[in-house]
């Protein structure tokens, strides 16, 4: 792994590998929901003397808000639209090696929220509940083992942080409710070895609970050095 925190304050060496602007999805009718995964409303967890930290804060003021939050976390884009965007991405860059890597990731089973992978860590296309659960467990796995690149970085020290926040805001005039979700994930394995990403998603429901927009899905914003 080559890395250094990309999208986090206090990091001077920054390489943004891929960026996606938040925008409403054109194929909303093709989105689908899966059964929700169990996520904690609050979590404050540390490992290795505090070098690894996991934080979750999910807020809902009512049962209806909680249902909307779970639905937003359980909403998936169609696999076909991710594949079409992947094909356009590779065609524009002509990177044959990356094409092989992305094909391997694309063949993974299950409702697809991921875009690609870097050093055995999946990179997100859509911020979903299963994505959050994956990043929490991935960081626990990293914390439980030694620095995988110690022989290259010259240090046994490594650290990581996951921070997931989600909440619901309803507008009284139109009855619309918006679920805002944000994930920060970073892993550092040396002074010039890290990967970081920020993923956001906004799902808007009308007064009857119908989904009227999804913003944020797309190729991820992440960086390495």
């Amino acid at each position: 792994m080559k890395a250094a925190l990309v999208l986090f304050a206090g990091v001077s060496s920054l390489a943004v590998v891929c960026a996606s602007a938040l925008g409403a999805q054109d194929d909303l009718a093709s989105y689908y929901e899966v059964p929700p995964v169990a996520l904690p409303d609050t979590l404050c967890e540390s490992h290795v003397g505090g070098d690894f930290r996991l934080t979750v804060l999910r807020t809902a003021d009512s049962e209806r808000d909680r249902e909307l939050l779970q639905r937003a976390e359980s909403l998936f884009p169609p696999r076909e639209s991710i594949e079409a965007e992947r094909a356009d991405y590779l065609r524009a860059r002509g990177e044959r090696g990356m094409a092989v890597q992305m094909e391997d990731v694309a063949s993974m089973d299950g409702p697809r929220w991921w875009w690609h992978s870097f050093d055995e860590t999946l990179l997100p296309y859509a911020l979903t509940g299963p994505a959050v659960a994956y990043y929490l467990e991935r960081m626990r796995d990293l914390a439980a083992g030694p620095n995988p690149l110690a022989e290259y970085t010259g240090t046994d020290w490594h650290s990581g942080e996951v921070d997931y926040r989600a909440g619901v805001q309803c507008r009284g005039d139109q009855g619309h409710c918006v679920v805002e979700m944000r994930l920060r994930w970073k892993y550092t394995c040396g002074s010039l070895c890290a990967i970081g990403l920020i993923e956001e998603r906004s799902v808007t429901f009308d007064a009857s609970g119908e989904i009227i927009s999804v913003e944020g899905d797309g190729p991820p914003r992440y960086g390495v050095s």
Side-chain angles (χ1 to χ4, degrees):
M1 171 190 296
K2 295 184 298 181
L5 276 199
V6 274
L7 298 167
F8 298 87
V11 178
S12 58
S13 177
L14 180 55
V16 177
V17 178
C18 186
S20 67
L22 300 184
Q25 301 299 301
D26 295 330
D27 55 349
L28 183 59
S30 299
Y31 272 62
Y32 62 98
E33 295 182 43
V34 303
V37 299
L39 292 175
D41 289 335
T42 58
L43 176 69
C44 185
E45 184 178 308
S46 66
H47 300 267
V48 196
D51 284 341
F52 287 81
R53 299 186 301 275
L54 289 71
T55 304
V56 173
L57 181 60
R58 300 164 68 243
T59 57
D61 295 332
S62 66
E63 284 304 315
R64 181 174 185 270
D65 286 359
R66 179 176 295 279
E67 179 185 352
L68 295 180
L69 174 55
Q70 289 182 329
R71 288 184 60 197
E73 292 172 334
S74 304
L75 185 66
F76 280 76
R79 184 178 283 259
E80 294 77 15
S81 67
I82 302 176
E83 284 300 295
E85 193 159 1
R86 179 179 71 93
D88 291 342
Y89 175 88
L90 292 172
R91 192 160 39 244
R93 287 159 180 76
E95 299 176 6
R96 187 173 184 83
M98 180 174 284
V100 174
Q101 295 174 12
M102 294 185 81
E103 285 173 4
D104 290 341
V105 172
S107 66
M108 294 171 55
D109 293 333
R112 184 174 176 180
W113 54 263
W114 57 88
W115 169 252
H116 187 23
S117 68
F118 183 84
D119 278 355
E120 300 183 2
T121 296
L122 293 175
L123 302 174
Y125 182 92
L127 181 54
T128 66
V132 175
Y134 167 83
Y135 286 111
L136 292 172
E137 196 58 35
R138 174 65 175 147
M139 194 61 75
R140 292 185 182 112
D141 288 344
L142 289 168
N147 183 341
L149 292 168
E151 64 177 303
Y152 304 107
T153 61
T155 178
D156 292 329
W157 175 84
H158 59 154
S159 67
E161 180 180 0
V162 185
D163 188 298
Y164 174 61
R165 309 292 173 109
V168 185
Q169 293 186 343
C170 295
R171 303 164 185 162
D173 53 344
Q174 295 179 315
H176 290 179
C177 291
V178 182
V179 178
E180 300 284 357
M181 306 152 63
R182 189 173 192 266
L183 173 81
R184 293 194 310 153
W185 194 92
K186 63 180 180 180
Y187 174 66
T188 305
C189 46
S191 60
L192 293 174
C193 174
I195 178 172
L197 64 88
I198 294 176
E199 187 75 3
E200 297 174 310
R201 194 186 217 192
S202 176
V203 181
T204 302
F205 297 85
D206 66 16
S208 66
E210 292 296 318
I211 298 168
I212 57 177
S213 72
V214 179
E215 298 180 356
D217 292 1
R221 298 181 296 169
Y222 73 100
V224 300
S225 73

